[in-house]
Amino acid sequence: MKPIDCGHLYRDGRHYDLQNKDFLDDIPFYLRQTKKYGEPVLELACGTGRITIPIAEEGIQITGLDISEPMLSQAKRKAAIKGINVEWIKADCRNFKLNKKFNLIFFPFNSIAHLQDLESIKSCFSCVKMHLKDKGRFIIDIFNPRLDILTRDPSKRYPVAEYPDPDGKGTVVITENNTYDAATQINRIKWYYKIGIQAEEVVEKLNMRIFYPQELDELLYYNGFTIKAKFGNYDETPFESTSPKQLIVCYSHKWGDSD
Ligand SMILES: C[S@@+](CC[C@H](N)C(=O)[O-])C[C@H]1O[C@@H](n2cnc3c(N)ncnc32)[C@H](O)[C@@H]1O
């Protein structure tokens, strides 16, 4: 298995939360799914609890699992302030064993793109199957690849985010560019951080595995999952060529056909 190479990006959960503070679109979708499929719920790669905490606030029993200590610390801080109860687990989603099974496991916000090789994907899917209850559901959320974005000019800069620095150093401006390796299907992204008036930019690398629609469906199939629904966005419209998202709801073959 390839080592996880995104740790540096997630070294400060405060930056992650400020960067993503306006992205709320997926929360109602996961709330609907948790109400439909029931608790307990497990979120893989839960980060700072951006989705986990609003679900727990509805009184739903949820476990958040992530490999990053700084992201989990931020999640715990936020949950403590709100006085809500979440079980936080520090673990690798490719190798975990909890003494519990779940009615719903979800892997949101493109996090599967951090799993870059077949061994990682197989191990993760195998752990998911071990932790699903009878007829339990697994949901994956990853963008539908856009060739125009993957092949855009790597010498240009494209905007990512702008937010106030949590340590009061001014405004953080993040821009990016990327080079796509079609052989490995890895999109090699560089994020350029400019903080306040400092002249020097900080450059962080982010490698994302690209999953094409048929490939992802087949990876699930050959790893023992049946796809129940594939949506193209959080409003649950069916997946089609121009859909922004691949939102797959599936269950383990082991349970035969399911409602
Ligand atoms: C894009 S963030 C998503 C966080 C959160 N789910 C959300 O929606 O805001 C990706 C998360 O994946 C986590 N991650 C990456 N590789 C992982 C692995 N192998 N096991 C568990 N977590 C992992 C990172 O630490 C990070 O918190």
Side-chain angles (χ1 to χ4, degrees), residues 4 10 16 43 45-47 50 66-68 71 92-93 109 111:
I4 292 298
Y10 299 118
Y16 179 86
E43 180 184 353
C46 65
R50 188 185 62 81
D66 201 283
I67 202 168
S68 161
M71 294 290 270
D92 189 328
C93 66
F109 209 23
S111 302

Side-chain angles (χ1 to χ4, degrees), residues 25 35 52 89 121 139 168 198 207 225:
D25 296 4
K35 285 178 182 159
T52 341
I89 309 267
I121 296 159
I139 300 180
Q198 79 184 24
N207 294 329
F225 290 98

Side-chain angles (χ1 to χ4, degrees), residues 117-259:
D117 61 334
L118 184 58
E119 240 1 88
S120 295
I121 296 159
K122 278 166 63 178
S123 305
C124 172
F125 287 177
S126 161
C127 286
V128 167
K129 277 186 292 185
M130 276 188 340
H131 290 83
L132 276 179
K133 283 196 181 192
D134 300 10
K135 296 190 186 334
R137 300 300 165 116
F138 177 40
I139 300 180
I140 295 184
D141 169 4
I142 174 87
F143 53 82
N144 185 16
R146 275 184 46 190
L147 295 179
D148 60 327
I149 293 183
L150 293 175
T151 58
R152 64 193 178 179
D153 185 349
S155 67
K156 290 199 174 140
R157 291 288 187 92
Y158 307 90
V160 176
E162 214 174 299
Y163 56 86
D165 179 71
D167 296 314
K169 294 182 189 158
T171 301
V172 181
V173 180
I174 311 177
T175 53
E176 70 175 1
N177 51 26
N178 65 285
T179 314
Y180 176 55
D181 179 346
T184 55
Q185 294 184 203
I186 306 291
N187 188 25
R188 300 193 187 286
I189 302 165
K190 278 186 184 159
W191 276 3
Y192 302 85
Y193 288 75
K194 190 153 186 343
I195 305 182
I197 53 164
Q198 79 184 24
E200 287 278 296
E201 280 183 328
V202 177
V203 186
E204 299 283 9
K205 291 181 182 166
L206 162 63
N207 294 329
M208 292 188 97
R209 161 71 187 262
I210 300 303
F211 290 91
Y212 293 98
Q214 294 306 312
E215 173 192 25
L216 184 53
D217 296 1
E218 285 158 18
L219 272 172
L220 283 164
Y221 177 79
Y222 288 113
N223 281 283
F225 290 98
T226 301
I227 295 179
K228 189 68 188 169
K230 184 157 180 170
F231 304 120
N233 214 338
Y234 301 114
D235 59 4
E236 298 178 40
T237 45
F239 179 75
E240 57 177 31
S241 183
T242 55
S243 297
K245 306 290 303 180
Q246 306 186 65
L247 271 175
I248 302 180
V249 182
C250 56
Y251 57 87
S252 168
H253 288 332
K254 200 162 77 178
W255 305 120
D257 199 8
S258 189
D259 296 334

Side-chain angles (χ1 to χ4, degrees), residues 106-117:
F106 65 87
F107 201 5
F109 209 23
N110 308 318
S111 302
I112 192 176
H114 290 310
L115 309 186
Q116 296 174 25
D117 61 334

